[in-house]
Amino acid sequence: PKMDQEPRAAVVVESDDQGHSDVHALGQASSGIGKFVSKDNSLLILYTGGTMGMKPDATGALEPVPGYLTQQIDDLMRLHENDPLPTVTVKEYDKLIDSCDMGPEHWRVIAEDLYANYNDYDGFVVIMGTDTMAYSASALSFMLENLGKTVIFTGSQIPYCKTFSDARRNLLFSISLATTLDIPEVCLFFDDKLLRGCRARKADSGSFDAFQSPNHPPLATLGLSINVNTSQLLPQPKGRFRVHLDMTAQVVVLKLVPQFDNSALLRLAKQGLPSCKAVVLELYGTGNAPHFNKEFLEAMEVAKKNGLVVLATSQCARGSVIPATKALTSWLDTIGIVPAHDMTSEATCAKLAYLFGKNLTPQQVSAAMVVSLRGEITPTSRALSKAERRLGKPKL
């Protein structure tokens, strides 16, 4: 090709589970989810902190530098002014924080900012640190009710200022995908994958491919083209967009190990409400636990009698909790231990915080935990009908 020719636009391939496909250029409208994008479109970036905007201090330790990343984003958008990208506005938070310090109070601020600016922008990107990004993306998935626009969480493993940083790639693709595709949900983009926010988890601390969605396929993957799995996307909501801000944090996560101190679990179960509302147990395999440990079995019964919601998740990186596959799991199912099925621990905790924040009873929370609210769970129809028979249909 001649040097003065314009580069070819990125190609988007939309595919569904029926074998149908639609091919179009990025930034051009399609019969599927492709949207036309020009400088008249607008995107808001909420910059909360994290590695992307850090620089080394005098000792070589990384620290956030106010204003630095915002300026780099402005320069980057000028460099790509002829590409199908929206007009970008950056809201840099006054106090840039490490993601390890991010919790419900920060999620609330992000949700409030998204709500306040919802009608003024076509898409949104949230920049933060990677360590708790999956928790934040899961939380915002539930907090943003009837979301009709795309919200993408992203960050980087290496700071923007470094030569071999992954920041520019993650940032540019997040900006682009948030306005060019009709994906009405909270997502997480990293390396070459757009993941559902409440399905993602950080799987590798030393790779650019840091995030995985172990029990759900990516919504989109990037290669020579952008391949979108349209059959996995959530539909546009029918209700008015609103935010839920009360996230109840009285949830304890316990990982079962062979030398587990069951007496500690029993003490927690006896304490019960109101200090703790739910216990998430990371069990073995498909949801297995000791058969002959009397303290463990007693703790489970006491927890339920004292009004705690007890969730069973799997320690395995991939797969699902399958209730009643063995005598013990059948007994756990009988006393009301709720299987998390294929939800991540991150999504499980966020969902519990969201449901308890709605002032639901423990039984209502238990019923809602096995129902998909944001595409966070794929229970079998048999397991779902069984849970509904025991717990009743949730009322949200």
Side-chain angles (χ1 to χ4, degrees):
K2 296 180 181 179
M3 294 301 292
D4 58 353
Q5 283 183 327
E6 290 187 3
R8 290 182 58 191
V11 174
V12 178
V13 180
E14 302 176 19
S15 303
D16 62 22
D17 54 3
Q18 302 299 317
H20 304 134
S21 63
D22 187 313
V23 180
H24 58 91
L26 183 68
Q28 297 296 319
S30 73
S31 60
I33 62 168
K35 296 193 294 185
F36 178 78
V37 174
S38 70
K39 296 305 177 186
D40 292 333
N41 296 98
S42 58
L43 176 132
L44 176 64
I45 294 178
L46 300 179
Y47 172 36
T48 70
T51 298
M52 185 180 283
M54 290 183 174
K55 297 181 76 174
D57 63 12
T59 67
L62 293 174
E63 65 176 3
V65 179
Y68 168 71
L69 185 61
T70 298
Q71 182 60 55
Q72 298 308 308
I73 293 173
D74 289 343
D75 295 343
L76 187 65
M77 299 314 296
R78 282 194 292 270
L79 180 65
H80 291 272
E81 61 182 357
N82 294 323
D83 292 335
L85 295 172
T87 298
V88 172
T89 301
V90 180
K91 178 175 182 178
E92 178 175 320
Y93 285 15
D94 293 335
K95 184 178 181 180
L96 300 174
I97 64 170
D98 187 278
S99 71
C100 294
D101 292 314
M102 186 169 285
E105 67 274 20
H106 305 98
W107 301 338
R108 188 178 302 112
V109 172
I110 294 172
E112 289 175 334
D113 282 339
L114 291 171
Y115 182 78
N117 293 280
Y118 188 76
N119 293 325
D120 298 326
Y121 293 90
D122 300 294
F124 304 89
V125 170
V126 180
I127 299 173
M128 64 171 291
T130 61
D131 286 342
T132 64
M133 188 184 294
Y135 290 93
S136 298
S138 292
L140 268 295
S141 294
F142 296 108
M143 296 173 74
L144 305 180
E145 301 176 343
N146 295 321
L147 177 65
K149 299 180 181 182
T150 307
V151 177
I152 298 180
F153 279 77
T154 195
S156 67
Q157 293 282 67
I158 297 177
Y160 193 100
C161 64
K162 297 293 185 179
T163 303
F164 298 105
S165 174
D166 55 331
R168 294 170 187 80
R169 173 187 176 90
N170 290 346
L171 188 55
L172 273 174
F173 276 115
S174 296
I175 291 172
S176 181
L177 296 177
T179 52
T180 57
L181 301 178
D182 185 19
I183 302 179
E185 53 183 294
V186 175
C187 307
L188 189 156
F189 181 82
F190 223 84
D191 192 38
D192 63 349
K193 292 185 288 295
L194 184 70
L195 308 175
R196 175 164 293 153
C198 54
R199 288 285 194 161
R201 68 187 325 172
K202 189 172 183 181
D204 194 331
S205 63
S207 169
F208 287 158
D209 186 18
F211 287 85
Q212 300 294 326
S213 178
N215 293 316
H216 192 273
L219 302 182
T221 55
L222 277 60
L224 296 180
S225 60
I226 301 171
N227 297 285
V228 184
N229 192 347
T230 57
S231 63
Q232 299 297 329
L233 304 181
L234 296 180
Q236 276 288 342
K238 297 179 180 179
R240 179 178 58 86
F241 174 66
R242 59 181 185 264
V243 297
H244 174 80
L245 299 177
D246 185 7
M247 297 288 279
T248 301
Q250 294 163 287
V251 178
V252 175
V253 181
L254 298 173
K255 183 174 183 176
L256 202 64
V257 294
Q259 66 271 30
F260 191 83
D261 182 5
N262 290 286
S263 60
L265 179 59
L266 183 57
R267 288 194 298 272
L268 177 64
K270 288 180 177 178
Q271 190 173 12
L273 297 171
S275 59
C276 178
K277 292 189 174 182
V279 176
V280 178
L281 290 176
E282 294 188 355
L283 303 180
Y284 308 128
T286 56
N288 300 312
H291 288 62
F292 306 111
N293 191 304
K294 293 183 179 180
E295 278 191 323
F296 174 79
L297 303 179
E298 181 186 358
M300 293 298 94
E301 290 187 319
V302 170
K304 293 303 298 179
K305 288 178 181 178
N306 287 341
L308 294 179
V309 175
V310 182
L311 267 290
T313 66
S314 175
Q315 295 179 14
C316 297
R318 193 181 305 274
S320 177
V321 170
I322 306 175
T325 53
K326 295 182 180 179
L328 176 70
T329 52
S330 179
W331 176 81
L332 292 176
D333 185 55
T334 300
I335 67 169
I337 306 303
V338 183
H341 293 283
D342 61 350
M343 277 193 295
T344 63
S345 294
E346 294 90 334
T348 300
C349 293
K351 190 173 181 179
L352 283 167
Y354 168 74
L355 294 172
F356 276 118
K358 287 183 170 291
N359 296 316
L360 301 181
T361 66
Q363 185 173 17
Q364 289 172 323
V365 170
S366 297
M369 287 302 296
V370 298
V371 177
S372 177
L373 303 180
R374 306 288 190 271
E376 74 284 354
I377 187 173
T378 49
T380 64
S381 57
R382 176 176 174 271
L384 179 56
S385 62
K386 182 177 180 180
E388 286 185 344
R389 285 197 303 271
R390 189 182 79 232
L391 301 169
K393 291 187 177 182
K395 298 178 182 179
L396 299 179

